[in-house]
Amino acid sequence: MKKVYDGYNVEGLGYPEMFTQLLPLISSGQRALDLGIGTGHLCSPVAFEGLQVVGVDKNEGSLTACKRLFGKAGLGNQLRTVTSDARNYLLSCREKYDLVMLSEILMFLKKADGKDLLKMSYDVLNANGFLWITARSTSDDFYFMLKEGFEPVDKDTFIAHSPCAGSTMVCFYSPGEIEGFLESIGGKVIFHTESINSAGGMTNIVLVQKPS
């Protein structure tokens, strides 16, 4: 089957590190949770590997688009969507997952709330399950611009303003920060690096396993 999602070859979606580091570790039939799934682009490579995906997002319009795109890609029977804030979903979650994905979602939360979400995500993993995390890095030029011009509202967290998007929370993580936090609660770091995203921003990429 040709792997195309929303007109894009799947190899061009997400980060190259997903294909070299994460996909070889997962298996068809496993269960994945994507917190802040949006339109599904960043988790589509996982679905093409045969995983069943639960996609959580508070934006119903994004979920509608996600369901349409999954269906068009022949992946419709692998997706279940939930309209919810990520934290609220995890608070009531009684399910376990082999993979939890947090793709860019941490940048929209204060640092303390982001680490709380990381802990909750780790807790819903099966033994030997994985966390896949991408988060804006303090190495990013945008971090230094905000640091020079604005007072932080939390550690490495700022309110950015733009005429189009209005006011938006932007949180950054230093290299090693996410890894260190997850190691402190028992996680095993499989891979970590910094990579430039499609918008030119510097991003932390972290892959952590929950040992059995």
Side-chain angles (χ1 to χ4, degrees), residues 31-65:
R31 302 183 70 243
L33 171 65
D34 189 344
L35 297 171
I37 190 172
T39 54
H41 288 75
L42 296 181
C43 77
S44 61
V46 166
F48 277 114
E49 290 298 307
L51 274 72
Q52 297 292 317
V53 177
V54 175
V56 176
D57 206 293
K58 61 184 180 182
N59 187 314
E60 290 188 9
S62 293
L63 291 179
T64 297

Side-chain angles (χ1 to χ4, degrees), residues 79-192:
L79 176 69
R80 176 166 66 90
T81 61
V82 180
T83 305
S84 175
D85 170 87
R87 175 181 169 80
N88 288 336
Y89 175 80
L90 291 173
L91 282 171
S92 61
C93 183
R94 298 294 180 266
E95 302 175 77
K96 293 289 186 179
Y97 296 92
D98 303 295
L99 170 66
V100 178
M101 303 178 66
L102 298 96
S103 300
E104 320 297 345
I105 189 174
L106 294 178
M107 70 177 289
F108 300 111
L109 302 172
K110 289 184 178 181
K111 184 67 63 77
D113 294 335
K115 289 187 174 179
D116 188 35
L117 193 67
L118 285 170
K119 171 65 166 60
M120 297 170 72
S121 299
Y122 184 84
D123 287 344
V124 301
L125 284 175
N126 285 319
N128 298 314
F130 297 97
L131 278 181
W132 171 262
I133 303 148
T134 61
R136 293 291 287 270
S137 173
T138 53
S139 301
D140 192 286
D141 290 342
F142 191 38
Y143 170 75
F144 295 104
M145 185 186 79
L146 291 174
K147 190 175 181 180
E148 289 180 4
F150 300 93
E151 287 294 320
V153 296
D154 195 6
K155 179 176 171 56
D156 299 325
T157 309
F158 305 88
I159 301 297
H161 306 275
S162 76
C164 298
S167 299
T168 306
M169 183 91 66
V170 186
C171 182
F172 300 83
Y173 287 79
S174 59
E177 183 176 3
I178 293 172
E179 301 95 291
F181 174 74
L182 290 170
E183 284 180 323
S184 75
I185 60 174
K188 177 184 177 182
V189 177
I190 303 299
F191 175 79
H192 62 97

